[in-house]
Amino acid sequence: MERFKQYDLIIDARSEREYAEDHIPGAINLPVVNSDEYAEVGTLHRTDKMRAYLIGVAYSLKNIARHLDEVISGRPRNTRILVYCFRGGKRSRLWFDALDTIGYRVQKLEGGWKGYRRWINEQLETLPRRFNYIVLSGPTGCGKTRLLYQLEGLGAQVLDLEALASHRGSVIGALPGKTQPTQKYFDSLLMQALSGFDPARPIWVEAESKKIGNVRLPDALLDTMHAGARLLRIDAPMDQRVILWREDYRHFEDDPEAFVAKLAHLRQLVGSAEFSHWEDMARARRMPELFERIMRMHYDPAYTRSTSRHYLALEKAPLISLPDLSPPALRVAAQDLLAQYDPQHAPLPA
């Protein structure tokens, strides 16, 4: 990932559909052929290869000409450019030849996206094990994520998995208006984040399940977090947790019935009587009571069971009480944690 930083521009020459599934973070999509054209050429290639190449090159020259005019023309000659396609073949070669002829400093990624993806998979089997982690554990709504924000703002190395996944990590954790990355692009984002860390310093991270929404965490990361990390238990008063939920899940206050409907699969687990009580509170718009009840009756015991299975030393972990989850109070708490557990952190300039 550090190598990619040497380029001023990275061009993904594949179709929009391929780019959407995964790409090198920071790359822009300038397709040699778009998704429909790629499908057309691919279908024709099965029966008439020469005709397929003829049509494909015609599309390519037209599209490259447009990209040159709209995107490339204003860039200085010393711009360093990397271009890639699926395997590092014809599509990236067409882009390379055009840019090289113009006089740009251009390179082609050998092996293309396929080689890049193989490298990502190999790295995620080993790289996460090279770091030391400080894992923040604690019930939902206790301020773990907001504490990570404060730690990062003070110069700590923070791996915010929920931000990478665009999801808060539970059945109600989808972020309004945001789509989760594909599994492959999540892997790319995770690899980018890990590549920027210093192995000599700890990484602060929140305890997570195997899956965050629809994306999975690599085994190497979870295994290292479970077995070799320093664990801190975070807790906060229920009134503060309810306030945090009301801020994070404000969209559910506008439609309480939809909120409870998302939890319908819990009816058998908590019992029909308890679930009906949730429905009654939702209809009555008693959101603070509803949020507290759901945390006490489901999320807290479920989180304790899950965390105890994965972190065997949970009960012996230091307890960090956060009586106030406001940003100023969390900043003070973050400063205390850094002084105790990460004294070598690099504070940011004021």
Side-chain angles (χ1 to χ4, degrees):
M1 285 295 182
E2 290 300 311
R3 174 195 168 189
F4 296 137
K5 292 180 181 179
Q6 69 182 286
Y7 298 102
D8 303 304
L9 176 65
I10 301 177
I11 296 175
D12 187 319
R14 301 173 302 151
S15 67
E16 302 94 332
R17 188 176 296 113
E18 295 170 286
Y19 178 84
E21 183 182 22
D22 181 36
H23 55 271
I24 296 173
I28 64 171
N29 189 209
L30 299 179
V32 168
V33 289
N34 65 34
S35 295
D36 292 338
E37 293 164 348
Y38 184 66
E40 177 189 350
V41 172
T43 300
L44 183 58
H45 188 269
R46 300 189 191 106
T47 56
D48 190 339
K49 290 185 179 180
M50 186 172 182
R51 179 67 180 168
Y53 286 136
L54 179 65
I55 293 175
V57 171
Y59 281 146
S60 301
L61 294 176
K62 177 190 68 176
N63 291 329
I64 288 175
R66 187 180 72 255
H67 296 321
L68 288 172
D69 181 53
E70 296 176 355
V71 181
I72 304 298
S73 61
R75 293 180 177 269
R77 183 168 181 165
N78 63 352
T79 299
R80 294 166 298 179
I81 302 175
L82 176 70
V83 62
Y84 68 93
C85 60
F86 183 68
R87 290 190 182 89
K90 293 181 175 62
R91 288 183 285 179
S92 55
R93 188 168 68 210
L94 285 165
W95 253 124
F96 177 91
D97 288 344
L99 294 168
D100 185 58
T101 299
I102 294 168
Y104 285 110
R105 300 164 59 188
V106 58
Q107 289 184 299
K108 188 173 67 168
L109 181 64
E110 296 302 323
W113 173 85
K114 190 173 183 180
Y116 162 79
R117 177 63 188 171
R118 182 169 56 249
W119 175 76
I120 288 287
N121 288 336
E122 292 170 353
Q123 289 296 305
L124 289 180
E125 290 178 359
T126 58
L127 183 59
R129 303 184 192 277
R130 299 176 191 169
F131 298 101
N132 295 312
Y133 300 91
I134 300 177
V135 179
L136 304 184
S137 171
T140 180
C142 72
K144 299 185 297 295
T145 302
R146 296 188 184 189
L147 185 56
L148 285 181
Y149 295 159
Q150 296 295 334
L151 288 163
E152 187 171 35
L154 292 168
Q157 295 192 136
V158 168
L159 179 59
D160 190 343
L161 294 168
E162 294 182 4
L164 297 180
S166 293
H167 199 279
R168 291 198 176 101
S170 71
V171 70
I172 59 173
L175 301 177
K178 290 191 176 182
T179 302
Q180 282 199 264
T182 65
Q183 180 65 52
K184 290 176 182 177
Y185 190 52
F186 173 78
D187 292 343
S188 287
L189 293 173
L190 177 58
M191 184 63 199
Q192 181 187 44
L194 291 173
S195 297
F197 291 140
D198 178 358
R201 296 172 50 207
I203 296 174
W204 296 78
V205 64
E206 183 176 343
E208 298 287 356
S209 302
K210 174 67 174 175
K211 292 186 69 178
I212 304 178
N214 294 322
V215 300
R216 299 181 307 278
L217 302 182
D219 290 339
L221 176 61
L222 280 176
D223 291 347
T224 308
M225 288 170 58
H226 292 163
R230 179 187 291 277
L231 184 65
L232 301 179
R233 290 183 295 153
I234 309 297
D235 199 9
M238 180 56 74
D239 65 322
Q240 290 290 304
R241 295 171 60 196
V242 169
I243 291 172
L244 187 146
W245 258 38
R246 296 193 72 184
E247 293 171 352
D248 283 354
Y249 299 114
R250 189 178 301 276
H251 51 290
F252 286 132
E253 296 217 11
D254 297 329
D255 193 355
E257 288 89 348
F259 168 60
V260 174
K262 285 183 174 290
L263 303 173
H265 66 289
L266 299 177
R267 182 184 290 273
Q268 285 188 323
L269 185 63
V270 301
S272 293
E274 178 63 28
F275 195 83
S276 295
H277 191 37
W278 297 357
E279 292 175 317
D280 291 341
M281 286 188 284
R283 282 190 291 269
R285 300 296 195 269
R286 292 155 51 195
M287 297 308 293
E289 295 174 68
L290 175 60
F291 284 161
E292 178 175 347
R293 183 85 181 185
I294 289 174
M295 282 192 271
R296 289 193 186 279
M297 301 305 294
H298 170 65
Y299 277 102
D300 286 2
Y303 188 90
T304 299
R305 288 193 300 270
S306 174
T307 310
S308 297
R309 283 197 305 269
H310 295 123
Y311 296 94
L312 301 181
L314 178 65
E315 293 302 318
K316 298 178 181 179
L319 176 63
I320 311 298
S321 296
L322 303 175
D324 181 353
L325 298 183
S326 67
L330 287 175
R331 186 173 182 84
V332 172
Q335 290 171 333
D336 292 342
L337 289 174
L338 288 174
Q340 185 171 0
Y341 297 106
D342 188 7
Q344 301 304 314
H345 75 284
L348 298 178

